[in-house]
Amino acid sequence: MNDQALHKNDHNEEHSLELLFADLFKKHEYRLHTLVLKLTRSNQYARDIIQEVFLKLWEHRSQIHTIQNVEAWLYRLTENKVIDFLRKAAAESRLKETIWKNQPGSLNETEDNVVAREYSQIIQKAVDQLPPQRKLIYQLNREKGLNYQEIADHLAISKHTVKNQLSTALQSIRLFLLRSARFFLPFI
């Protein structure tokens, strides 16, 4: 095959991937956006998260055919992005709260602070439902910033156990968020 034929074949393959991406975007964007909007209560944050999700899909477009269940892949990625967003919002809320407590006089809570506090409460509810050891491992990792080995040493358990418990904790938090979302979105 000559260079011109190879170039044409690459162009055709890239074009078919673009069409597949556009089809997946049209098929899933609205439902994913609705889910994220219910969880974040912000159209702007929802748009940003969905943009990140589809940007990630675009970056992996050459492997789309190797993904066995693209819909599940998109939902999992969306869940992870929402959890990251909620965790970041909760951390920012705690930082703002600390700063504001040191400010003289009373300040009115802005809508952003109310939303950030609600995100923090959602995550906290999910964390509170974890079994005691799993909750402790999650808190040591996410709130105290300890790595797997430090947690293992602190609790006198194996690093592998820490990794498994943290993975299970994150999965439980995702399920909690999805159950909350299903209340609003019966089609998921």
Side-chain angles (χ1 to χ4, degrees), residues 6-24:
L6 279 173
H7 179 72
K8 186 175 181 174
N9 193 25
D10 288 347
H11 178 72
N12 287 341
E13 185 176 327
E14 183 67 21
H15 182 68
S16 68
L17 287 173
E18 288 173 11
L19 292 174
L20 178 58
F21 175 85
D23 183 53
L24 290 169

Side-chain angles (χ1 to χ4, degrees), residues 10-52:
D10 288 347
H11 178 72
N12 287 341
E13 185 176 327
E14 183 67 21
H15 182 68
S16 68
L17 287 173
E18 288 173 11
L19 292 174
L20 178 58
F21 175 85
D23 183 53
L24 290 169
F25 181 85
K26 281 185 230 174
K27 185 176 180 182
H28 299 287
E29 187 268 342
Y30 177 78
R31 290 186 354 192
L32 290 172
H33 181 270
T34 304
L35 169 65
V36 175
L37 182 61
K38 294 292 183 189
L39 294 170
T40 64
R41 297 183 188 166
S42 166
N43 196 38
Q44 181 61 47
Y45 291 140
R47 282 196 309 258
D48 291 348
I49 290 170
I50 296 305
Q51 182 178 3
E52 288 180 37

Side-chain angles (χ1 to χ4, degrees), residues 115-163:
V115 170
R117 190 174 68 242
E118 288 175 1
Y119 296 151
S120 179
Q121 290 170 350
I122 291 170
I123 292 289
Q124 193 57 52
K125 283 181 186 174
V127 171
D128 287 344
Q129 292 184 0
L130 296 173
Q133 183 178 15
R134 195 170 296 151
K135 179 179 177 179
L136 178 59
I137 289 171
Y138 175 86
Q139 289 171 326
L140 290 172
N141 179 259
R142 301 301 176 167
E143 295 170 13
K144 303 283 188 209
L146 300 182
N147 65 33
Y148 294 166
Q149 190 61 56
E150 291 168 331
I151 296 169
D153 293 344
H154 181 75
L155 299 177
I157 57 176
S158 75
K159 184 177 170 182
H160 183 72
T161 299
V162 171
K163 183 178 177 183

Side-chain angles (χ1 to χ4, degrees), residues 2 45 57 69 84 86 89-90 93 96 103 112 118 139 165:
N2 64 28
Y45 291 140
L57 180 63
N69 185 338
D84 289 345
L86 294 175
S93 176
K96 285 179 187 177
Q103 293 292 322
D112 286 345
E118 288 175 1
Q139 289 171 326
Q165 288 293 312

